Amino acid sequence: DAKTTQPPSMDCAEGRAANLPCNHSTISGNEYVYWYRQIHSQGPQYIIHGLKNNETNEMASLIITEDRKSSTLILPHATLRDTAVYYCIVYRGGSNYKLTFGKGTLLTVNP
Amino acid sequence: EAQVTQNPRYLITVTGKKLTVTCSQNMNHEYMSWYRQDPGLGLRQIYYSMNVEVTDKGDVPEGYKVSRKEKRNFPLILESPSPNQTSLYFCASSPLGGKGTGELFFGEGSRLTVL
């Protein structure tokens, strides 16, 4: 699976949109982009995933560039409870369905 | 409510005293997996199971055993715990097939300390 690069930390004001970038320049055509978050040592929580089209669900939106080399997770109205480590993962699937979690981005939402 | 339940959530034990961390899911998922999380090392897969009686090693299986006798349960066994197994452990499950293969459902974690 391709590797990802994320900034180690970001800040966001409460009520504003949080835009979390991820670079995955070596992604291949059959690899998905997944986003998870982990709130202070709780179990990671699935947020959203996509292949090449933009995706939206009740939690967030995922924007994938046309060349698929980068993506942005958007939390439209960040709250204090969105403070967490956000992981961007490129995943193809395979024999053990293993997701490889990197270091992620610590998003701090400030009041 | 759909969930993955781990027990115990917190445990302090001593070197060599066998222990089992249980994991149960109520979503009828085929796939289950164990991860450990350590500072600076991220989440690393210990073992996984594709279905009942089908288990395989992940990246860091040494010192651990698992079993999958029922679909809902996937216990992690430390036969002779050592201090380097002090960690935060997560169990996860997922349905197989289709677009759900990368969507893991995680438990709340079990913090284990081995003295």
Side-chain angles (χ1 to χ4, degrees), chain A residues 38-78:
Chain A
Q38 186 175 24
I39 299 172
H40 186 57
S41 296
Q42 295 180 19
Q45 177 189 23
Y46 165 83
I47 302 172
I48 198 168
H49 75 280
L51 183 62
K52 51 185 175 182
N53 297 321
N54 297 338
E55 302 286 345
T56 295
N57 63 20
E58 64 278 4
M59 289 182 67
S61 295
L62 174 60
I63 308 298
I64 303 174
T65 58
E66 194 168 341
D67 63 7
R68 301 210 324 123
K69 292 184 177 182
S70 66
S71 61
T72 301
L73 178 74
I74 301 172
L75 308 179
H77 305 287

Side-chain angles (χ1 to χ4, degrees), chain A residues 3-90:
Chain A
K3 292 191 174 181
T4 63
T5 303
Q6 299 178 253
S9 64
M10 294 181 65
D11 287 322
C12 177
E14 188 177 19
R16 305 297 294 269
N19 296 279
L20 292 96
C22 180
N23 286 320
H24 31 79
S25 58
T26 60
I27 193 170
S28 59
N30 59 354
E31 290 180 317
Y32 288 80
V33 179
Y34 276 76
W35 283 83
Y36 279 75
R37 73 179 182 183
Q38 186 175 24
I39 299 172
H40 186 57
S41 296
Q42 295 180 19
Q45 177 189 23
Y46 165 83
I47 302 172
I48 198 168
H49 75 280
L51 183 62
K52 51 185 175 182
N53 297 321
N54 297 338
E55 302 286 345
T56 295
N57 63 20
E58 64 278 4
M59 289 182 67
S61 295
L62 174 60
I63 308 298
I64 303 174
T65 58
E66 194 168 341
D67 63 7
R68 301 210 324 123
K69 292 184 177 182
S70 66
S71 61
T72 301
L73 178 74
I74 301 172
L75 308 179
H77 305 287
T79 71
L80 300 179
R81 288 176 294 180
D82 291 322
T83 293
V85 177
Y86 287 78
Y87 299 98
C88 170
I89 302 166
V90 171

Side-chain angles (χ1 to χ4, degrees), chain B residues 41-66:
Chain B
L41 297 176
L43 280 146
R44 294 178 292 169
Q45 190 187 56
I46 304 171
Y47 268 95
Y48 66 96
S49 170
M50 303 289 278
N51 216 322
V52 176
E53 303 292 359
V54 180
T55 63
D56 210 341
K57 298 176 180 179
D59 295 324
V60 288
E62 296 78 18
Y64 305 95
K65 288 175 58 177
V66 293

